[in-house]
Amino acid sequence: MTKPADNFFASSDTARHARPLRHARTFQLDGPLRLQLGGELPEVTVTYETYGKLNTARDNAVLICHAISGDSHVARHDPEDDPGWWDIAVGPGKPIDTDRYFVVCPNLLGGCRGTAGPGSLNPRTGKPYGRDFPTITVVDMVEAERRLLDHLGIERLLAVVGGSMGGHQALTWATRYPDRLAGVIPLATSARLTSQALAFDVVGRNAILRDPHYHGGQYYDRDTKPEVGLAIARMIGHITYLSREAMQQKFEADRLQPRDVAIAFEKKFSVGSYLGYQGQKFVERFDANSYVTLTMAMDLFDLGGNPTELAAALRPARCRWLVISFTSDWLFPPEQSQEMVQALVTNDQPVSYCNVASQCGHDAFLLPDEVATYGTLIQDFLANLASTGPQAGPVEAHGPKSIFHQHRVDYDHILELIPRGASVLDLGCGHGGLLARLRERDHHRLVGVEIDERAIVACVHRGLDVIQGDLNLGLRAFRDGQFDCVVLSLTLQAVLDVEGLMQHMLRVGRLAIVSFPNFGYYKVRQMIAEQGRSPRTPGLLSHEWWNTPNRRFFSILDFEEFCQARHIRIRQRIHLDTETGQEITTDPNRLADLAIFALSR
């Protein structure tokens, strides 16, 4: 996070004046645009900008959909150009690499930066639409974008990327035009707004509509305009973009020392001068009617209010998904992204998900603080969509080594237990080593679950489907019998609810495969009995007693007893001395440091 004194007025809003978009192009729709809720717009101009070059195959196009306050100027076209609203992510060598991809960013329908909106002339009256501009939806916005892509000769997009309301457009693209995109990346978005988010929008719209200078929406030729209402709406909205932690860090140290800025709003507190500044700058570049129109379209967006409806709404999509949320976002909370991911999992649709750790709130996807993580995810996801194979990653060396070295000897034996072609769910998949090896055998469905953010980034880099999740919360997102095999390798000893997780594994998979270190191993016994020390050995138990992730210290005999008491069928056992790579058949509870069990009901 930036310190308050470093950049007090910094925000996702670039605070641009309503300057001309120097690189913008326009496209006139051929014929009227019929609207989802009825009626039509007889004439629609779409303003857009492009970056990079469309390749000969026309398959490297990436559509970027912006949020309410954005526009077509997503990034600089050259060093002398004005800054774009997502310069940190779009440009040569950046996550959305304009040296590699042809980027298209249109100003959305209903906006005020060149595309048809309330400020556009109504051809039937010759005056601006104002409040006569019809109620539009996200579907209408996407339809205008689709006709733009037809005009550009792009039949199929590599991906659609969008955050916040841009994420709503991305979701609409995936579900209404499933054959026109290979991948979709919704960031900090949801299948519909929470009632709390709706409430903020309602207050913001009322601030505009009740402004004495609103003039029924026909203020374009008036000397006074609803500037105060629009500024207050923006101030209210801006509160929702920041997290509690961000506001604490930005304003608490000097809360009674506001900046001396020329604003008409209260500035007794530093947060007040900040919000007033943001509201006033927004008025200089945005139209009040557009704000009312766009927030209403966002509020009307709804893919379903329960898991069944949401799964049905997402089922038509045929693309790969990368869903990204941010931990401190309370406007579009991570739970809403997780609901979408669960619906996709239920549908057996290919999805990766990461809840990026951030203190920046909803604005995190527009600020540089977390771009190292989410930008890498986007970069690798796009690269894998564009390539014929996965991204190059670390290759495991072969040969018998300890289970905690780069080559996992337990994987060799787990692979032998998994039938070729089987669908596999790998719990605690780490960096995807087992899944990557399974993919070489052409398994038709491979999914990983992992909690560590860095490991998720590594899996996406390898082109694997991985979902961030806590195994201690169970596997509720997965259906009964959804996978042929469920694997839990070297993770059971770190699980809180062992019995619950084992029940879920046997419910979701026809075969459950579990590997774990054997704490009955003779070297471990010696450390306790002879040295009186907590077990710690190179490789097998490399942690100190005070930082070990292991919560369970059980032996092979303990696990066998556990299975027997719960009527879990042990189909196969493998006991290994990982230091020598040998399989142990005599007295494994004492001589094996690793056990692998194949289980079923």
Side-chain angles (χ1 to χ4, degrees), residues 264-282:
F265 302 100
E266 178 198 313
K267 52 182 181 180
K268 182 177 179 61
F269 301 96
S270 58
V271 68
S273 59
Y274 170 84
L275 292 173
Y277 175 85
Q278 295 297 336
Q280 184 166 295
K281 286 300 181 183
F282 190 66

Side-chain angles (χ1 to χ4, degrees), residues 306-376:
N306 60 60
T308 301
E309 292 176 350
L310 184 53
L314 297 177
R315 193 166 291 123
R318 298 189 183 94
C319 59
R320 298 185 69 84
W321 292 73
L322 172 62
V323 179
I324 299 173
S325 60
F326 297 89
T327 55
S328 59
D329 185 351
W330 58 275
L331 181 61
F332 289 84
E335 291 79 11
Q336 291 191 294
S337 289
Q338 291 158 10
E339 289 169 359
M340 291 191 293
V341 171
Q342 289 175 7
L344 292 166
V345 167
T346 297
N347 293 340
D348 274 328
Q349 292 167 285
V351 56
S352 289
Y353 167 65
C354 187
N355 186 25
V356 177
S358 170
Q359 292 188 350
C360 297
H362 182 60
D363 263 358
F365 79 100
L366 297 172
L367 298 171
D369 300 70
E370 273 68 59
V371 72
T373 296
Y374 82 78
T376 300

Side-chain angles (χ1 to χ4, degrees), residues 66-208:
H66 67 76
I68 285 177
S69 62
D71 54 34
S72 62
H73 192 61
V74 65
R76 289 179 171 88
H77 290 266
D78 52 62
E80 289 72 39
D81 196 8
D82 294 319
W85 57 266
W86 213 13
D87 273 315
I88 58 173
V90 180
K94 295 181 180 179
I96 304 177
D97 188 351
T98 52
D99 286 337
R100 184 170 186 177
Y101 308 114
F102 179 63
V103 173
V104 182
C105 184
N107 180 224
L108 53 76
L109 184 71
C112 55
R113 300 292 285 150
T115 296
S120 304
L121 291 181
N122 183 341
R124 292 169 181 156
T125 65
K127 297 180 179 180
Y129 279 100
R131 285 292 285 164
D132 293 333
F133 193 77
T135 300
I136 61 171
T137 66
V138 174
V139 169
D140 300 325
M141 298 172 184
V142 169
E143 175 61 16
E145 293 164 358
R146 180 194 67 81
R147 290 170 70 171
L148 169 64
L149 295 180
D150 289 347
H151 166 71
L152 295 174
I154 300 171
E155 296 182 3
R156 181 172 168 83
L157 292 158
L158 179 68
V160 180
V161 185
S164 194
M165 187 180 186
H168 290 166
Q169 297 164 65
L171 294 170
T172 302
W173 266 101
T175 53
R176 291 187 72 90
Y177 302 107
D179 295 325
R180 297 202 62 165
L181 64 162
V184 62
I185 308 176
L187 302 94
T189 193
S190 64
R192 68 175 187 171
L193 264 67
T194 64
S195 294
Q196 184 183 53
L198 282 171
F200 283 106
D201 283 348
V202 168
V203 174
R205 284 194 293 270
N206 274 281
I208 293 170

